[in-house]
Amino acid sequence: MVHVVVACRALLVLVFLVSAAGKLRGRGAFAGFVAEVRAWRLVPAGAARGVAVGVAGVEAALPVLLVVPVTARPGLAVAGLLLVALTTGVVVTRRRGTVARCACFGRTATVLGRRHMVRNVFLVGAVAVASLPAAGPVGAAALVVAVGAGALGALLVTTLDDIAGLFSPLPDVPSRSL
């Protein structure tokens, strides 16, 4: 069981690292995130920048909190709360019929949808598993495999919109006669 806990922690560390990097990689990326927060219409327009700063700041702090043994438990609690808040935001946005883009890992053209809710619920589950007691010996090889599994999971989570796009129907494009 300790291997599954390690894999879930690695998954969460990498997901939050990619998420923060996507929002903070440059002035334009952060401005895009602020614009998306405003478009979700969950907070007053004037508060969108502050909320964006808070979310990006927490996401940037979480990888460190989750890796340091003394702060791992509080970090998992913060991660769980953030994920529940973000999932609730997606649900409310969808129920209102607001067409808003996913700014989860940087700006994207993908509209918030069920896939984002399912992904976030999966991540909340990863928080729950990562919170389980992880006592017992872990060999170096097993640790590498567990971290690798978490990294693979993070890759799938952070590229979910791109993967789904591969299986989406192509838009109708008028054909040109030669």
Side-chain angles (χ1 to χ4, degrees):
M1 183 65 178
V2 69
H3 305 98
V4 177
V5 170
V6 169
C8 285
R9 287 189 184 182
L11 166 87
L12 293 165
V13 165
L14 293 170
V15 164
F16 285 116
L17 189 65
V18 170
S19 186
K23 293 172 180 79
L24 300 173
R25 71 179 181 272
R27 201 172 264 182
F30 185 72
F33 178 54
V34 172
E36 292 307 326
V37 170
R38 194 171 289 121
W40 296 339
R41 297 186 348 224
L42 296 172
V43 297
R49 182 168 174 67
V51 169
V53 166
V55 169
V58 168
E59 287 179 342
L62 278 170
V64 175
L65 292 173
L66 295 173
V67 169
V68 176
V70 177
T71 60
R73 289 250 178 251
L76 287 165
V78 170
L81 290 172
L82 178 62
L83 287 165
V84 167
L86 293 172
T87 305
T88 302
V90 174
V91 170
V92 169
T93 300
R94 296 267 307 152
R95 289 222 170 140
R96 286 182 179 169
T98 304
V99 177
R101 308 278 177 235
C102 172
C104 308
F105 303 107
R107 196 144 191 201
T108 178
T110 305
V111 175
L112 287 174
R114 280 189 214 122
R115 161 181 347 133
H116 302 100
M117 291 182 272
V118 170
R119 180 195 59 213
N120 286 359
V121 169
F122 169 77
L123 290 171
V124 169
V127 168
V129 172
S131 299
L132 295 173
V138 181
L143 185 63
V144 168
V145 170
V147 170
L152 179 60
L155 178 66
L156 293 172
V157 165
T158 59
T159 60
L160 181 62
D161 287 337
D162 297 324
I163 293 168
L166 293 172
F167 298 99
S168 298
L170 294 174
D172 289 334
V173 178
S175 63
R176 293 203 284 183
S177 300
L178 295 176

